[in-house]
Amino acid sequence: MEHKEFSVYLSGVGGQGLVLLSNVIGSACAAAGIRALTGEQHGLSQRSGSINVHMRIGEEIRSPLIPIGGADALLALDSLEALRCVEYLRPGGVVLMNSRVQHPIIETEAHMKDKVAKYMSAEDVRSRLAQVTDKIAVLDALGIAKKAGNPLTENMVMLGAMSALEAFPVPIDALKQSIAENVPKKAVDVNLKAFDLGKQAAFEFLCNIVKCRE
């Protein structure tokens, strides 16, 4: 079976379920007979440090690492991580960004020295990303995850949104089956609901800027 190449750079911080997210996508690819390679980069993940995953999908892929400027999409579970990793996005690539911002200690330190300094907001991040691409979708993944029934399902909300992309070559049925197999049994229903709500949200925030599946 032939599939088009698709590279997505996943970014977030420790505790957001980024590794689980990559496992779900990888398992779905395996079940669907789609070649996929991944490479993980961990920082101080137990202290809210950065975690990044290169994921490349396609029959001709030989390396798991996405070159600078080579990602078709950047999926960020944290706004600041989207900005940190934007160099991997190809010109005109798609940014799927959670509106939540987890400010690093270094930013808080600046406030201790300058009381009028402002924290960077998701809108500030979006403004800077707009210098690279005009295809930016910002989702309130935490709010949607709470509607699903568990705030810890932000990762599945973002996956659901990405599944709406026509260019994302992984079947939705395979993704849902993979979710059911990779999360604890007691959390399957809420994770699948988060996925569906994220997919629905994509039609409001994403599908007006890029082509989505029918």
Side-chain angles (χ1 to χ4, degrees), residues 70-176:
D72 298 291
L74 168 60
L75 186 153
L77 296 176
D78 176 85
S79 292
L80 293 180
E81 291 302 315
L83 191 56
R84 193 193 310 277
C85 305
V86 71
E87 64 180 344
Y88 285 95
L89 190 69
R90 68 169 173 78
V94 180
V95 175
L96 278 168
M97 185 179 84
N98 187 356
S99 61
R100 192 143 72 102
V101 181
Q102 298 194 59
H103 298 280
I105 294 175
I106 190 171
E107 195 174 4
T108 302
E109 184 181 23
H111 281 252
M112 298 299 291
K113 298 176 181 176
D114 181 0
K115 302 300 183 186
V116 298
K118 292 183 178 179
Y119 282 109
M120 181 171 285
S121 67
E123 190 52 43
D124 292 332
V125 173
R126 181 176 187 154
S127 177
R128 294 197 183 189
L129 291 175
Q131 298 175 27
V132 179
T133 180
D134 60 352
K135 297 182 179 64
I136 305 169
V138 182
L139 276 77
D140 176 14
L142 179 59
I144 296 172
K146 288 179 178 177
K147 288 181 181 177
N150 188 332
L152 298 179
T153 59
E154 286 175 287
N155 52 354
M156 295 305 149
V157 170
M158 297 301 291
L159 177 58
M162 188 166 70
S163 76
L165 287 173
E166 185 182 68
F168 185 53
V170 188
I172 289 176
D173 287 348
L175 290 169
K176 288 188 171 183

